[in-house]
Amino acid sequence: MNGKDSRPATSLQRVRMTRLPLAVAICFAMAVPAMAQDAAKPAASSTDAPASAKAKKVATLGTVTVTAQKRTEDVQKVPISIQVLGNEKIEQLHINSFDDYVKYLPSVSYQSAGPGFAEIYMRGVASGGDGNHSGSRPSVGVYLDEQPVTTVTGPLDIHMYDIARVEVLAGPQGSLYGASAESGALRIITNKPDPSGFAANYQVGMDSVAHGGIGHIAEGMVNIPISPTAAIRLVGWHEHDAGYIDNKAGTRTFPVSGITVSNAPGCTSTSMLVCTHAAKNNYNDNDINGGRAALKVDLNDDWSINGTLMGQNTIANGNMAMDPVVGDLAVTHFYPEKSSDKWWQAALTVQGKIGNFDVTYAYAHLKRDQVEHNDYSDYSFWYDQLPYAYGSYLYDNSGALINPSQYIIGKDHYTMDSHELRLASPKDDRLRVVGGLFWEKSVHDIEQRYMVNGLADSLTVPGWPSTIWLTEQVRTDQDEALFGELSYDIIPDTLTATIGGRYFRADNSLGGFYGFSSGYSPSSSYGVAGCISPQPYRGAPCLDFNKNVKETGSLGKINLTWNISPTKMVYVTRSEGYRPGGLNRRGSLPPYKSDFLTNYEMGWKTTWMNNRLSFNGSVFQEDWKDFQFSILGANGLTEIRNANQARIRGMETELNWAATYNLQLSAGLAYYDAKLTANYCGNLDANGNPVTVCPVGTLNPATGVYGPLAPSGSQLPVTPKFKGNLVARYTFDVGNDEAFVQGAMVHVGKRRSDLRSIENGLVGDMPAYTTMDLSAGYTHNSWTISFYVNNLFDKRAQLYKYTECAEAVCAAHYDPVTGYGSPVYPNGQVYTVTNQPRTLGFTFKQEF
């Protein structure tokens, strides 16, 4: 009766950062040659003078280098379905954040509750979920350089400035990347210090959001050699994102107490009217500030050290979602909604040689602190409609009924340490090997207070005033692995076979306090009534839950690559990925097991027309065994079950074409047929395995109907069957200067919002959408000015749909006969996260 996990982990707030001084944010800067060149760029060196570069312009594609296989390689020689966004492309597409670049990655789908709280999926391997701290670990691994930066509630949303490239590895990457790279990996590679010369640049910009406010950005970079073998690189940024969601004035009356809550600015409180003064236009604005300092020292010709300290702080106001009943880009919420997300990471990479083997050691220490204030009064309102009258249980010390509205104060503290040591033989040897050791430990301190003002002391969790529910827990995830890949050229330069494997050990623990006071819930198996230790736990009344689960296993990979010619290659692969199991915090439920993904793939990498056109792609089938699925069980607690089996068949293609030295075209397409291959009944057998034959005559408590929650053949949620993008850029000379025009189109097909049939029917599908971005710019000597329009036709793309409590309650359709539901929301209350409305802006960049 208390939906404590029913909200999205961030209540859909955009989480951005506090201010750094502008002088720090605008460092001197100059773009250095990116490690990964973008498709269709002139062959001239970036260090040539403008006139010289102009004379050498030819229609050709540049070489794109990646480190996806733990060694530096030409992407056209890597037998993996991989997409790369290089430094130049990132700038051309005005990419600043995860939401900006993910739309150009056909293999990636996501549910976003704001920066840092995205649930990322690849190749249709998606069951949905709310990203709650009680949930499964992600199925996609996100890396910053060599280090993992993925937490349970989402990866870091790293500001995309001075970034060398983004590498997206589609399909299981279990042998080299291990846990949580089950369906793929996303790697963000920063530009490194360069001892060869001074470089600096800065960029400023401003934008205006339709139906919203004004935003601005300031960024800078400086690369300073301190000796012929050492350099430092300093980067800083400040970004203000304009708000565009209005929190409109309104009221809400609770049927049990008769108390009305109003958020109107001029409201005056009475005994039956509670005024919160929360209404405000454009209330979802954000501020992001951050910086990066990096040091590189070449000890000699073989050994080097790279150290990086990077941090970001985000302050977000309001909510990213809209309530269509209230209006376009509008909600009516009654309590403060604000969050902060502050993180920093220290990383060290040592590279060298032992004999002719390359040696790499990578270490990282990450700390992340999040604080959230969220309106949760929807939960109170909808449960107050039910026959057992939630509001009748809430009173003050005198026994009088009170305003039952809830709001949340949440604090999450993450600490993550990782070590990796690996060896790689010379890449030109006929027999090649790469292998190593990996260790990672993540500790998540969780505090969630669900508050009701004026609550009686007997109903309050002891020691926590006005707190009807408290979560005070520590979750620990530890992974250890031994990994390696061995390749042999059966026919030199023509036919290569590769085998890989990973042996892993995983250790997951969860313990602490969660629940009500004994006065509110005297017979509960958790909370104060369910204490298993009389001693206080981290300020909570006691310990009522403490469990641990361990597992070991192995993963494999087999690949055969045929280099038909120096410019054309085909490959076949069988690879495996996994996601660790874990604990359900409801003590009566068994732990959920690891799920495994097996991939069968055939792909190709080709270039044509004297290196003017590249066409890459793959076709595949992936079998997903016992996949983890989060549902809301009794009392609104998240329960994770192994749902059953699914199969994903698909195709991914990418094309880059230098039509002329002026005109560059690129396109990416993906098609997925992601379906259940067995019924999801919502039941487990005695061993915790999913039941495939749903019990006849047994009522499913999650839906109130008989039969499976999702029958075999149901489409998996979140991922569309089709996603694609097309980018065209035309450059032309204006005297000795250069100008450009560019258009970018993105299409995303229809998606289910939930795996389960009834819940998806209540919340609704997310329809297909197409957006268009345009830009134009002018370069003169060292400076460039650009103008852009994003979301040209002001489309409302539905990115995520959710309810604040169980769908059967919050999304219930009003029945005037029984009185079930609410006449205010005849079709239930469903929120929709949409893309940013049409945005007009400009940027000015100067290099030194």
Side-chain angles (χ1 to χ4, degrees):
M1 62 184 258
N2 205 41
K4 299 308 165 192
D5 293 342
S6 58
R7 66 188 180 92
T10 62
S11 288
L12 300 199
Q13 298 196 2
R14 299 191 66 169
V15 197
R16 305 262 198 205
M17 298 194 89
T18 62
R19 293 184 178 273
L20 289 180
L22 192 59
V24 175
I26 307 181
C27 304
F28 294 106
M30 169 181 173
V32 299
M35 293 178 67
Q37 302 295 322
D38 291 298
K41 63 186 294 183
S45 167
S46 60
T47 59
D48 292 341
S52 175
K54 180 178 174 181
K56 295 181 180 179
K57 285 180 180 177
V58 293
T60 187
L61 299 176
T63 299
V64 180
T65 57
V66 296
T67 52
Q69 295 192 122
K70 308 289 188 178
R71 59 170 86 236
T72 302
E73 300 171 288
D74 182 348
V75 71
Q76 291 299 107
K77 301 298 183 181
V78 179
I80 296 176
S81 179
I82 179 172
Q83 185 178 0
V84 182
L85 295 177
N87 176 269
E88 189 174 50
K89 183 69 73 175
I90 290 170
E91 292 186 3
Q92 291 174 356
L93 295 172
H94 302 285
I95 289 172
N96 294 317
S97 66
F98 172 81
D99 285 346
D100 294 333
Y101 67 78
V102 72
K103 63 185 181 181
Y104 296 106
L105 305 175
S107 62
V108 181
S109 300
Y110 72 109
Q111 295 179 151
S112 179
F117 294 92
E119 295 294 305
I120 306 174
Y121 309 101
M122 295 182 71
R123 283 192 167 179
V125 181
S127 60
D130 57 12
N132 190 274
H133 56 257
S134 302
S136 304
R137 292 171 66 176
S139 63
V140 174
V142 179
Y143 292 78
L144 175 60
D145 292 319
E146 295 280 350
Q147 295 80 20
V149 291
T150 306
T151 62
V152 172
T153 54
L156 304 179
D157 189 0
I158 297 163
H159 183 80
M160 300 297 290
Y161 182 70
D162 195 47
I163 300 298
R165 65 188 181 276
V166 176
E167 300 177 5
V168 181
L169 289 62
Q173 306 299 321
S175 59
L176 292 182
Y177 292 92
S180 294
E182 178 181 40
S183 61
L186 192 154
R187 307 179 69 233
I188 300 171
I189 311 299
T190 61
N191 284 318
K192 304 301 186 292
D194 182 4
S196 67
F198 175 84
N201 66 45
Y202 71 88
Q203 179 170 276
V204 295
M206 183 173 291
D207 60 51
S208 175
V209 180
H211 322 287
I214 303 295
H216 60 263
I217 192 169
E219 308 161 308
M221 179 280 291
V222 59
N223 183 88
I224 305 172
I226 54 180
S227 78
T229 58
I232 59 174
R233 193 178 191 97
L234 304 175
V235 185
W237 56 87
H238 164 73
E239 178 181 350
H240 173 74
D241 294 328
Y244 52 87
I245 300 289
D246 293 339
N247 188 11
K248 292 189 174 182
T251 61
R252 167 173 282 170
T253 300
F254 290 89
V256 174
S257 65
I259 293 174
T260 297
V261 180
S262 171
N263 67 352
C267 175
T268 301
S269 295
T270 67
S271 60
M272 297 299 292
L273 177 64
V274 176
C275 300
T276 62
H277 310 114
K280 183 181 178 181
N281 289 337
N282 305 328
Y283 89 134
N284 66 321
D285 59 323
N286 318 280
D287 284 288
I288 308 170
N289 293 280
R292 184 175 83 243
L295 170 68
K296 179 182 181 182
V297 179
D298 294 325
L299 302 176
N300 53 40
D301 291 341
D302 292 333
W303 288 88
S304 67
I305 298 175
N306 284 276
T308 303
L309 180 64
M310 184 174 181
Q312 188 169 287
N313 190 22
T314 302
I315 299 295
N317 299 295
N319 195 295
M320 288 286 290
M322 65 179 183
D323 182 348
V325 174
V326 177
D328 182 39
L329 302 175
V331 295
T332 296
H333 281 185
F334 301 92
Y335 288 87
E337 294 181 291
K338 184 176 182 178
S339 60
S340 66
D341 183 10
K342 180 186 293 185
W343 60 266
W344 63 267
Q345 184 195 62
L348 175 69
T349 302
V350 180
Q351 295 174 301
K353 285 185 176 293
I354 297 179
N356 62 351
F357 276 72
D358 293 325
V359 182
T360 301
Y361 168 72
Y363 166 74
H365 177 75
L366 171 68
K367 283 196 173 182
R368 185 182 192 184
D369 288 287
Q370 297 171 313
V371 179
E372 302 173 67
H373 295 256
N374 301 312
D375 186 327
Y376 200 49
S377 59
D378 286 359
Y379 169 87
S380 308
F381 174 76
W382 282 96
Y383 275 88
D384 213 36
Q385 317 294 318
L386 297 181
Y388 57 75
Y390 154 83
S392 65
Y393 294 90
L394 303 183
Y395 47 84
D396 61 19
N397 286 331
S398 70
L401 294 179
I402 60 174
N403 166 28
S405 297
Q406 291 190 37
Y407 59 95
I408 302 170
I409 300 176
K411 298 179 181 178
D412 295 274
H413 174 73
Y414 300 89
T415 302
M416 181 185 294
D417 290 277
S418 64
H419 301 264
E420 182 172 317
L421 176 65
R422 67 177 183 268
L423 295 173
S425 63
K427 63 181 180 181
D428 295 327
D429 286 359
R430 187 172 182 179
L431 178 65
R432 300 176 297 280
V433 63
V434 58
L437 303 170
F438 178 80
W439 182 93
E440 178 187 79
K441 184 177 182 180
S442 173
V443 179
H444 181 189
D445 295 335
I446 306 161
E447 180 180 298
Q448 300 281 325
R449 296 180 65 186
Y450 290 73
M451 315 282 289
V452 178
N453 290 334
L455 191 65
D457 294 341
S458 62
L459 303 180
T460 295
V461 176
W464 299 78
S466 301
T467 302
I468 189 173
W469 172 285
L470 174 68
T471 298
E472 188 71 38
Q473 295 179 325
V474 175
R475 173 175 176 162
T476 302
D477 295 283
Q478 182 171 313
D479 298 286
E480 302 169 358
L482 171 68
F483 64 90
E485 286 191 358
L486 185 146
S487 299
Y488 179 69
D489 294 335
I490 300 172
I491 302 175
D493 301 322
T494 302
L495 188 64
T496 301
T498 299
I499 59 172
R502 190 180 190 97
Y503 173 78
F504 63 84
R505 294 191 302 191
D507 188 343
N508 172 270
S509 65
L510 180 65
F513 177 89
Y514 72 103
F516 305 101
S517 69
S518 58
Y520 185 85
S521 184
S523 60
S524 175
S525 61
Y526 50 86
V528 175
C531 288
I532 60 175
S533 169
Q535 300 300 319
Y537 178 83
R538 302 171 66 91
C542 65
L543 183 75
D544 66 358
F545 180 88
N546 189 21
K547 288 191 175 183
N548 174 268
V549 63
K550 298 181 180 181
E551 63 179 317
T552 61
S554 61
L555 304 168
K557 174 183 175 180
I558 302 174
N559 172 271
L560 188 65
T561 301
W562 178 26
N563 291 289
I564 302 171
S565 73
T567 60
K568 295 170 181 62
M569 173 255 281
V570 295
Y571 66 88
V572 291
T573 298
R574 182 192 184 276
S575 58
E576 296 175 329
Y578 95 108
R579 176 170 49 169
L583 295 162
N584 277 293
R585 67 182 193 181
R586 186 187 302 280
S588 60
L589 293 177
Y592 55 93
K593 300 179 180 181
S594 296
D595 55 15
F596 289 85
L597 187 71
T598 303
N599 175 56
Y600 307 91
E601 179 174 341
M602 191 279 285
W604 62 92
K605 301 282 184 79
T606 64
T607 56
W608 308 80
M609 301 169 58
N610 295 320
N611 201 35
R612 290 177 53 193
L613 184 145
S614 68
F615 178 56
N616 302 335
S618 65
V619 293
F620 60 88
Q621 175 175 308
E622 295 182 336
D623 296 328
W624 198 9
K625 181 181 179 183
D626 295 339
F627 67 87
Q628 298 163 14
F629 180 56
S630 300
I631 65 170
L632 291 177
N635 291 34
L637 292 180
T638 295
E639 298 178 2
I640 306 167
R641 302 171 184 264
N642 292 95
N644 225 306
Q645 322 304 318
R647 182 186 64 212
I648 302 98
R649 291 172 174 166
M651 178 181 70
E652 299 161 344
T653 63
E654 181 184 20
L655 182 145
N656 293 287
W657 182 29
T660 68
Y661 80 85
N662 301 89
L663 179 62
Q664 308 168 19
L665 300 172
S666 63
L669 303 173
Y671 171 81
Y672 302 110
D673 183 21
K675 294 181 178 180
L676 288 178
T677 54
N679 291 333
Y680 170 48
C681 302
N683 303 97
L684 302 175
D685 64 20
N687 297 318
N689 297 314
V691 173
T692 59
V693 179
C694 301
V696 177
T698 301
L699 187 68
N700 190 315
T703 62
V705 298
Y706 298 95
L709 276 74
S712 177
S714 297
Q715 182 181 344
L716 298 183
V718 183
T719 301
K721 285 194 171 183
F722 177 81
K723 181 181 179 182
N725 66 78
L726 175 65
V727 179
R729 185 179 179 90
Y730 183 79
T731 61
F732 56 95
D733 298 327
V734 181
N736 289 324
D737 300 333
E738 185 177 85
F740 76 88
V741 292
Q742 177 178 279
M745 182 178 68
V746 173
H747 176 80
V748 176
K750 185 177 75 170
R751 294 135 291 145
R752 289 173 63 99
S753 58
D754 198 291
L755 174 67
R756 298 162 296 174
S757 301
I758 291 180
E759 285 77 359
N760 188 74
L762 292 170
V763 175
D765 289 334
M766 294 175 284
Y769 65 88
T770 303
T771 61
M772 173 72 76
D773 299 341
L774 298 178
S775 61
Y778 186 87
T779 299
H780 173 73
N781 293 331
S782 64
W783 59 261
T784 299
I785 187 168
S786 300
F787 299 89
Y788 61 90
V789 182
N790 290 339
N791 193 6
L792 176 65
F793 301 109
D794 201 24
K795 294 286 187 179
R796 296 290 179 271
Q798 295 186 12
L799 307 178
Y800 183 23
K801 298 178 75 172
Y802 75 102
T803 60
E804 285 282 11
C805 63
E807 294 85 356
V809 177
C810 279
H813 292 191
Y814 177 61
D815 186 339
V817 177
T818 64
Y820 190 76
S822 170
V824 179
Y825 292 93
N827 297 314
Q829 189 173 19
V830 177
Y831 290 94
T832 301
V833 179
T834 186
N835 59 334
Q836 186 164 300
R838 181 173 52 241
T839 302
L840 288 77
F842 77 91
T843 60
F844 178 86
K845 182 175 183 179
Q846 188 171 14
E847 300 179 348
F848 300 92

